[in-house]
Amino acid sequence: MGGYCNSPSSSIDSSCDPDLSTSSIFEQRRDLSTELRLGLSLSSSSLQHNSHKEKDPLSDWPPIKPLLRSTLEGKAHQSNSETFFVKVYMEGVPIGRKLDLFAHDGYDDLIKSLRRMFRTTITCSHVSQVPLEKSHVLTYEDEEGDWMMVGDVPWELFLSTVKKLKITRVDKC
Amino acid sequence: MVGRFRWAAMFPDEVWEHVFSFLTSDADRNAAALVCRNWNRIERRSRKRVFVGNCYSVAPTVAVRLFPEVRAAVIKGKPHFADFNLVPSDWGGGAEAWVEAMAEGWPNLEELRFKRMVVSDDCLDLIARSFKNFKVLSLVSCDGFSTSGLAAIAANCRNLRELNLRESEVEETCLNWISHFPESCTSLVALDIACLEGEVNASILERLISRCSNIMTLRLNHSVPLERLVGLLQRAPQLMDLGTGKFSARHNPQLFSRLESAIAGCKNLRNLSGFWEPGLTYLPAVYSICEGLTSLNLNYATIQNPELVKLISRCKNLRRLLVMDLIEDSGLVAVASSCKLLQELRVFPSDPYDAAEPVSLTEQGLVAVSAGCPMLHSVLYFCRQMTNAALLTVAKNRPNLTCFRLCIIEPRTPDYVTQEPLDTGFSAIVESCKDLRRLSVSGLLTDLVFKSIGASANYLEMLSIAFAGDGDMGLHYILSGCKNLRKLEIRDCPFGDKPLLQNASKLETMRSLWMSSCSVTLGACRQLARAMPRLNVEVINESGRGPLVAQPDNCPVEKLYIYRTIAGPRTDTPQCVWTI
């Protein structure tokens, strides 16, 4: 039984594929054509026999329809056109940064990015954490020009009203 | 007729015609036609709808002559594996012969539905000019035509109700084909142009939609921006089926609220699809109608969790869900608890080739849905790992499955826990799901699974097999069992000549058999063709080794397509196809 041979395009050694019943020449020819057709979906063990590393445009496996195939390929080549960059200032630092809010899926994600960017602990009302003396609080300016604490409203609503971000020291709030 | 039933013979034909008009299914009408010569004559002369599953199974002129009163026809062409690039593009399935015969013999034709056919602009032109009461044109997975042909349809079909181009490949030659719908056109009920690659003039579309007050289905293509979608929805609040265009735009709160209220205004919305190039900002705009949705198609939408789950969890009345594997197991667990009425689930791979960042969708998701959704009967599932235990659980949970298609992306993948073949798992499926009509198997499989399928899958009509089996016995089990098998498609399996020759007569009870990259030889095909005159045995060899006629019997066959027909060998085969 061929259970131990996972690669669909087994090597030229026919003992790896006991299920083949015809001549060895046929085996080789069939293996190669299968290999060629499979393109990228080959397992690493068979790649040594095949230099087709680039995507075969006429790939017929896995069985997905042309419209899905082209949609996914399009995704690979096109960068996500939707971005929403806002300015971020940290109190006491004159040079600000810019951050793409659309690249984040929520407050937790945003806090993580900001912590990485500014190397400080940041809290907002969304994160349940007692603010330490040395930490900062995240605030934002809304459409009306008011400075609010980040985290009170749902993420989608926040995205539609935020104009810029500021990281202020805890003792100022 | 038997003496006792002489009273029946006294009924005029019109009475029987009226009685037959209550038989809605083709199978019932076929059965009635076999009762006696009279019924045969009356039934076929009054038949209004005809379904031709294989365009080469009967000559078009014969079909048109036999059923002179047809108003609606469905014709299918290429084999199913053509969807996956396995069939040469010039194989056949041309619509000309059919359209010409229909133009001659069915001037009152109202509905024409083609699937996987090559339809030229000339065909579309002929259709546009020949049928004065033409109402429905549906071209699913078709190609060979351009927007010029569509312009002809738009301009000439005065009573057009439905134009459906689902998943077709259309060349863009006429830029403003939509403008060819005359001002007098008010009859459109359904328009599906989602597959079009080019720009669609949204203003013209808006005017068209405004005057077609009965429009119920509108599926746009990716070129229609969100701003224009608002306008379209405001003009067609009665829509039941919407396919959005591009579902992202620059951050704009006013646009968001306009979109939100336009969508909320469509109180009858039941089907939602599209979501081309989706962004996250505007997704909440559809929340208001989620609860009314019965079908949600996110097949082409690369939306990730948690937004994806947030959207789907609101759709409590969903019957049908198509989604990418970005939903992951956690998302499917949420579906299992929110969408209790779910009947059909399809999960597609978002990264079919590289698996660079593997998505966390495993057999767990499938098991969760099978447990939580009691009405689930149709499944298409792409994943990268599976276990026999999971399949056994699915089989136990859902004996009501009618369609089960599992595609484990890496061929010949075993049960990842036990390293065993998935024979037991799939056997459990066919043994438990007594009404299974369609099955696709994958992963590591031996002949044993085919033994189970042959023995238990009594209602199975369509079976797809890839990279499975040990040898001839596998195919023999299928062909000698599966009493109701209609379509069998096989690729890359070690099945050879013997089971084909041993089960030749079975092939005439089926619509078609496709085998590619198997172990069939030319000699067996010759034998089969000789023994079975009512089968077309088509051998497809693309590697151009010289004419097949001259090749010896032991020459291997790359691709084989066998189908039953009363039309004899077809006359439109290309170079690479030879009907033996």
Side-chain angles (χ1 to χ4, degrees):
Chain A
M1 207 208 53
Y4 47 86
C5 194
N6 279 338
S7 155
S9 54
S10 46
S11 65
I12 308 297
D13 176 17
S14 61
S15 65
C16 185
D17 240 334
D19 47 17
L20 290 181
S21 51
T22 49
S23 70
S24 60
I25 299 169
F26 173 69
E27 284 169 40
Q28 288 177 30
R29 202 187 290 139
R30 199 277 301 282
D31 282 344
L32 274 178
S33 67
T34 312
E35 278 189 30
L36 289 172
R37 264 200 298 278
L38 284 173
L40 271 186
S41 69
L42 294 172
S43 59
S44 52
S45 62
S46 52
L47 277 175
Q48 50 189 276
H49 300 292
N50 183 353
S51 58
H52 283 243
K53 281 202 130 172
E54 69 277 356
K55 214 172 279 187
D56 178 0
L58 285 181
S59 178
D60 51 36
W61 185 266
I64 58 176
K65 291 190 186 173
L67 191 51
L68 181 58
R69 207 175 278 277
S70 57
T71 305
L72 293 174
E73 277 163 17
K75 279 266 162 291
H77 298 138
Q78 134 209 129
S79 55
N80 190 356
S81 53
E82 209 187 320
T83 57
F84 181 33
F85 282 96
V86 292
K87 292 183 189 169
V88 191
Y89 281 94
M90 175 134 115
E91 196 172 351
V93 182
I95 309 285
R97 300 288 302 269
K98 267 203 154 173
L99 183 89
D100 179 9
L101 287 180
F102 282 2
H104 299 85
D105 51 32
Y107 290 121
D108 293 328
D109 207 12
L110 175 64
I111 299 285
K112 270 197 214 122
S113 285
L114 289 172
R115 280 186 185 151
R116 255 198 329 262
M117 260 182 168
F118 292 92
R119 296 173 196 281
T120 179
T121 352
I122 299 174
T123 60
C124 67
S125 59
H126 186 72
V127 176
S128 55
Q129 204 181 318
V130 177
L132 305 168
E133 269 185 34
K134 289 229 179 77
S135 68
H136 292 75
V137 171
L138 184 60
T139 62
Y140 72 102
E141 185 185 19
D142 70 7
E143 330 164 280
E144 293 169 0
D146 299 323
W147 284 93
M148 315 290 292
M149 187 175 288
V150 165
D152 286 330
V153 299
W155 177 251
E156 296 88 6
L157 187 53
F158 167 68
L159 287 180
S160 65
T161 61
V162 62
K163 289 277 167 291
K164 54 169 94 135
L165 297 173
K166 187 149 94 179
I167 304 172
T168 47
R169 287 205 298 268
V170 170
D171 51 16
K172 287 278 175 75
C173 300
Chain B
M1 270 194 179
V2 180
R4 272 181 298 160
F5 293 106
R6 227 179 291 138
W7 57 266
M10 294 193 322
F11 283 178
D13 290 356
E14 293 77 28
V15 173
W16 289 117
E17 273 179 34
H18 185 66
V19 170
F20 293 156
S21 69
F22 292 98
L23 297 175
T24 45
S25 88
D26 283 338
D28 288 342
R29 287 199 74 116
N30 289 348
L34 291 175
V35 166
C36 65
R37 260 196 253 277
N38 261 344
W39 278 29
N40 187 288
R41 177 181 53 86
I42 298 167
E43 192 284 315
R44 68 171 183 79
R45 287 217 258 182
S46 62
R47 190 183 283 223
K48 297 274 189 298
R49 317 190 76 91
V50 116
F51 171 83
V52 182
N54 175 2
C55 63
Y56 292 119
S57 60
V58 59
T61 43
V62 169
V64 169
R65 182 174 43 83
L66 282 179
F67 305 103
E69 292 301 314
V70 164
R71 298 280 183 275
V74 179
I75 322 272
K76 296 189 179 182
K78 300 184 195 177
H80 174 238
F81 272 177
D83 284 352
F84 316 128
N85 286 327
L86 281 170
V87 178
S89 53
D90 57 352
W91 172 85
E96 301 79 29
W98 279 97
V99 176
E100 279 162 14
M102 291 191 269
E104 256 307 310
W106 290 339
N108 296 318
L109 189 69
E110 295 177 1
E111 302 178 16
L112 189 50
R113 294 177 168 85
F114 283 135
K115 185 169 185 180
R116 282 191 209 99
M117 303 270 298
V118 179
V119 183
S120 64
D121 280 347
D122 284 343
C123 283
L124 291 180
D125 205 62
L126 190 55
I127 293 169
R129 289 182 285 113
S130 311
F131 309 115
K132 52 187 181 331
N133 204 19
F134 199 65
K135 297 198 173 110
V136 172
L137 180 63
S138 172
L139 303 171
V140 175
S141 300
C142 294
D143 65 288
F145 62 101
S146 76
T147 42
S148 307
L150 295 179
I153 296 284
N156 296 300
C157 300
R158 303 287 164 83
N159 296 313
L160 196 67
R161 274 208 323 239
E162 178 178 330
L163 179 60
N164 177 3
L165 305 175
R166 188 159 68 89
E167 280 161 8
S168 290
E169 273 180 45
V170 187
E171 257 193 73
E172 308 278 337
T173 51
C174 173
L175 283 180
N176 263 328
W177 70 274
I178 294 248
S179 62
H180 289 249
F181 280 107
E183 285 300 315
S184 54
C185 171
T186 55
S187 51
L188 268 187
V189 171
L191 183 64
D192 182 347
I193 52 172
C195 67
L196 292 184
E197 283 184 10
E199 291 278 322
V200 170
N201 187 320
S203 308
I204 300 182
L205 191 57
E206 225 173 76
R207 283 204 293 281
L208 176 64
I209 298 306
S210 297
R211 58 182 189 271
C212 295
S213 52
N214 291 320
I215 191 113
M216 288 297 165
T217 297
L218 180 62
R219 296 190 189 157
L220 307 167
N221 78 338
H222 70 97
S223 77
V224 180
L226 273 181
E227 292 86 2
R228 303 314 301 257
L229 177 63
V230 174
L232 289 164
L233 291 178
Q234 285 166 345
R235 281 162 182 72
Q238 75 280 9
L239 273 183
M240 288 184 66
D241 186 320
L242 171 67
T244 73
K246 181 167 172 185
F247 211 75
S248 51
R250 282 178 177 264
H251 167 68
N252 182 339
Q254 284 102 334
L255 174 58
F256 184 94
S257 53
R258 281 170 57 226
L259 181 63
E260 199 180 26
S261 54
I263 289 188
C266 298
K267 305 214 182 294
N268 295 331
L269 219 44
R270 297 280 169 271
N271 286 18
L272 191 56
S273 60
F275 294 97
W276 303 102
E277 297 159 48
L280 299 180
T281 342
Y282 289 90
L283 280 183
V286 309
Y287 284 177
S288 59
I289 45 93
C290 281
E291 199 148 334
L293 288 183
T294 53
S295 168
L296 180 60
N297 184 347
L298 299 168
N299 191 350
Y300 306 101
T302 48
I303 307 171
Q304 316 249 10
N305 287 339
E307 280 72 18
L308 184 55
V309 176
K310 269 192 218 168
L311 175 63
I312 300 176
S313 313
R314 287 167 180 265
C315 303
K316 309 250 182 265
N317 286 304
L318 221 51
R319 312 283 199 265
R320 190 165 180 264
L321 175 64
L322 281 72
V323 72
M324 291 233 182
D325 59 4
L326 300 165
I327 191 169
E328 303 192 324
D329 288 337
S330 55
L332 287 177
V333 168
V335 168
S337 67
S338 319
C339 308
K340 288 303 188 189
L341 301 177
L342 197 66
Q343 296 177 13
E344 180 178 348
L345 174 70
R346 298 194 191 197
V347 180
F348 296 91
S350 59
D351 196 357
Y353 310 111
D354 280 325
E357 288 170 27
V359 146
S360 180
L361 179 102
T362 68
E363 76 281 5
Q364 311 279 7
L366 179 60
V367 171
V369 182
S370 75
C373 302
M375 292 164 55
L376 186 70
H377 67 82
S378 177
V379 171
L380 169 63
Y381 201 77
F382 281 84
C383 60
R384 292 184 184 274
Q385 65 183 53
M386 188 51 58
T387 61
N388 281 311
L391 287 173
L392 257 97
T393 311
V394 171
K396 192 165 67 86
N397 289 340
R398 293 276 65 78
N400 52 327
L401 283 177
T402 56
C403 170
F404 187 69
R405 295 155 73 188
L406 178 67
C407 180
I408 304 169
I409 293 177
E410 179 69 30
R412 303 206 187 97
T413 306
D415 176 322
Y416 76 94
V417 171
T418 64
Q419 295 307 312
E420 279 173 7
L422 292 171
D423 296 338
T424 4
F426 278 106
S427 298
I429 296 277
V430 293
E431 280 154 24
S432 164
C433 307
K434 309 238 183 275
D435 277 328
L436 200 65
R437 311 259 155 190
R438 186 164 180 186
L439 177 67
S440 298
V441 297
S442 59
L444 183 65
L445 295 166
T446 73
D447 285 345
L448 287 177
V449 73
F450 300 117
K451 192 168 183 199
S452 306
I453 297 175
S456 307
N458 294 320
Y459 288 101
L460 195 66
E461 294 175 1
M462 183 166 178
L463 177 60
S464 309
I465 310 172
F467 304 104
D470 302 319
D472 289 345
M473 279 315 286
L475 182 56
H476 177 68
Y477 286 135
I478 299 294
L479 292 178
S480 56
C482 294
K483 291 192 296 232
N484 281 298
L485 196 62
R486 287 203 203 148
K487 288 183 281 182
L488 179 57
E489 48 186 24
I490 303 171
R491 62 163 295 178
D492 295 275
C493 296
F495 301 146
D497 301 338
K498 259 182 42 191
L500 280 181
L501 295 171
Q502 275 174 347
N503 296 284
S505 50
K506 168 79 170 180
L507 299 176
E508 227 180 71
T509 67
M510 293 164 49
R511 185 190 296 173
S512 65
L513 165 66
W514 169 277
M515 288 178 75
S516 55
S517 304
C518 297
S519 310
V520 181
T521 66
L522 199 51
C525 295
R526 285 175 172 136
Q527 264 186 280
L528 196 57
R530 260 197 307 271
M532 311 289 298
R534 278 188 308 203
L535 289 181
N536 273 358
V537 178
E538 291 189 9
V539 169
I540 303 167
N541 272 26
E542 290 167 284
S543 46
R545 245 167 296 156
L548 282 165
V549 194
Q551 301 294 331
D553 276 352
N554 65 355
C555 171
V557 164
E558 286 169 18
K559 299 177 182 177
L560 177 62
Y561 187 49
I562 301 174
Y563 53 90
R564 67 179 174 190
T565 178
I566 56 171
R570 59 187 173 110
T571 50
D572 60 353
T573 48
Q575 276 276 41
C576 58
V577 178
W578 180 42
T579 313
I580 302 191

